[in-house]
Amino acid sequence: MPEPATGAAEVSQAVARLDTVRKEIGKVIVGQQDVVDGVLICLLSGGHVLLEGVPGLGKTTLLRTLSRVLHLKYSRIQFTPDLMPADIVGSMVIETASDGAKSLRFQPGPIFANLVLADEINRATPKTQSALLEAMQERTVTSGTTTHQLDRPFLVMATQNPIEMEGTYPLPEAQLDRFLMKIVVEFPSREELNRIVERTIQRDEPELNQVITRSEILELRGTCREVVVAPHVRDLAVNLVMATQPGTPGAHPLANKYIRYGSSPRGAQALVECGRVLALMQGRFHLAVDDIRKVAPAVLRHRIILNFDAHADGQTPDTLLQELISAMARRAEG
């Protein structure tokens, strides 16, 4: 499909900006290109990302680096069992004026930033998790009768450790659904680990440049929304979500056998939104079947719930999605 003449310049400009951002991040982060791209996709789609991986894989460093490259306000919240909702969103404090008069003033919490790292989100109680997830969904914080708007862009990157389950409160499925993507951070290869150690023993820290401004990020977000979605690609997103619904006419046989609950409608919306950003990253102004195929695992893995048979047979969301995505993509291309 040829690019519209009016959009060609926009596409090349957007690709150049995004490549510059990735190059700057690469000065600090070794490898993990899928993770970096996933976080950028969520930022430009206006969604939030959940990262799952063992400690020490650079999850915290990634968001801090992104804030420096994009010159956005960054905050980190360490989730612990005694963390209270007010520790996240803020609270009312009493102020005493010079004449002795007292007044209440809202003290904003760390949620009032552009990039918020929710470190080990599953360590906090459900009440505290809900306070964060409400701010994520509504993009506002209400204190008393006053509603405070959160600045745009606003991205929450939550992390959770898959190996240490003691003393944790796993996120309920309805709250997991609020995350646009769930990205699994893999252990680096031997070559990447060598490069990480090499950078560790260097004396000088890499100098990062601010490559795009906040207004340019919002402009890029608007450009992503103009990416053309053909009817057959939109149908693929819908068919893929329907394939995860057991007991329905469009269900895949594996879904009937292994899935207890399929993806919500948010899954289909996320496939299209994330796919559009990926298409633009690759220099296209139209969404392709391959874009949906690439973003589908990260978009859907946290939106399906497996039954007992799946666990007994050693199935995981990723193994099932691999089959479902291949089957639906073949049908769309055929």
Side-chain angles (χ1 to χ4, degrees):
M1 185 185 293
E3 309 295 349
T6 52
E10 265 188 292
V11 171
S12 58
Q13 188 180 38
V15 171
R17 283 175 177 173
L18 289 168
D19 282 346
T20 311
V21 171
R22 290 153 97 187
K23 187 179 175 184
E24 283 297 309
I25 292 172
K27 290 180 181 178
V28 176
I29 303 295
V30 175
Q32 306 288 14
Q33 197 56 57
D34 288 345
V35 180
V36 173
D37 287 350
V39 173
L40 284 173
I41 285 170
C42 288
L43 179 66
L44 294 176
S45 300
H48 307 286
V49 61
L50 178 64
L51 293 191
E52 185 174 277
V54 296
L57 296 182
K59 300 185 292 291
T60 307
T61 307
L62 169 59
L63 202 63
R64 194 169 60 242
T65 303
L66 191 62
S67 73
R68 289 166 64 191
V69 170
L70 304 181
H71 199 61
L72 294 174
K73 187 180 177 186
Y74 161 81
S75 71
R76 178 178 181 272
I77 308 169
Q78 181 63 55
F79 278 65
T80 55
D82 60 349
L83 192 74
M84 300 299 289
D87 297 329
I88 294 173
V89 298
S91 57
M92 301 300 290
V93 295
I94 298 174
E95 272 193 341
T96 306
S98 54
D99 60 357
K102 296 186 185 300
S103 61
L104 283 173
R105 178 179 65 82
F106 178 68
Q107 177 65 44
I111 196 73
F112 285 84
N114 300 115
L115 302 175
V116 179
L117 174 65
D119 211 6
E120 295 191 284
I121 189 173
N122 53 340
R123 290 206 167 279
T125 60
K127 183 178 181 179
T128 304
Q129 290 174 2
S130 297
L132 172 74
L133 292 159
E134 182 184 353
M136 285 166 51
Q137 183 69 18
E138 306 299 331
R139 305 297 203 277
T140 57
V141 168
T142 303
S143 175
T145 56
T146 309
T147 298
H148 305 272
Q149 197 77 31
L150 295 171
D151 283 343
R152 293 189 310 153
F154 174 59
L155 169 79
V156 171
M157 188 176 91
T159 70
Q160 59 182 20
N161 180 353
I163 58 172
E164 199 176 345
M165 289 293 107
E166 191 176 341
T168 61
Y169 304 85
L171 287 167
E173 285 72 21
Q175 294 182 348
L176 277 172
D177 196 35
R178 304 285 176 91
F179 288 96
L180 193 66
M181 279 185 165
K182 179 184 176 183
I183 300 172
V184 177
V185 187
E186 304 288 352
F187 196 82
S189 66
R190 182 183 180 84
E191 183 191 338
E192 288 168 346
L193 192 54
N194 258 321
R195 283 164 55 204
I196 290 168
V197 173
E198 190 181 318
R199 289 189 183 185
T200 305
I201 58 179
Q202 286 175 354
R203 289 184 180 180
D204 299 326
E205 291 230 350
E207 190 177 326
L208 293 176
N209 302 309
Q210 181 203 337
V211 290
I212 61 175
T213 63
R214 179 175 169 274
S215 60
E216 285 173 332
I217 296 165
L218 298 176
E219 192 182 311
L220 273 173
R221 187 179 283 184
T223 306
C224 292
R225 294 208 172 103
E226 291 173 21
V227 172
V228 178
V229 183
H232 75 283
V233 184
R234 184 185 60 208
D235 287 345
L236 170 60
V238 172
N239 290 339
L240 193 47
V241 168
M242 293 307 297
T244 68
Q245 306 293 328
T248 62
H252 190 278
L254 286 176
N256 289 326
K257 186 176 181 182
Y258 290 127
I259 295 179
R260 185 153 53 109
Y261 295 109
S263 168
S264 72
R266 277 197 189 110
Q269 293 174 301
L271 285 170
V272 173
E273 289 303 311
C274 295
R276 278 170 148 183
V277 181
L278 183 62
L280 196 67
M281 278 180 164
Q282 296 179 346
R284 283 181 282 102
F285 218 53
H286 66 275
L287 183 60
V289 166
D290 207 38
D291 299 320
I292 299 286
R293 183 192 281 134
K294 283 178 182 172
V295 299
V299 165
L300 297 177
R301 64 165 56 102
H302 58 299
R303 289 187 162 96
I304 61 174
I305 305 171
L306 307 186
N307 59 24
F308 177 78
D309 289 342
H311 296 296
D313 290 351
Q315 295 286 349
T316 66
D318 282 350
T319 58
L320 289 176
L321 284 170
Q322 196 174 357
E323 291 292 332
L324 267 63
I325 293 163
S326 297
M328 294 303 113
R330 281 196 303 270
R331 187 193 297 180
E333 287 169 338

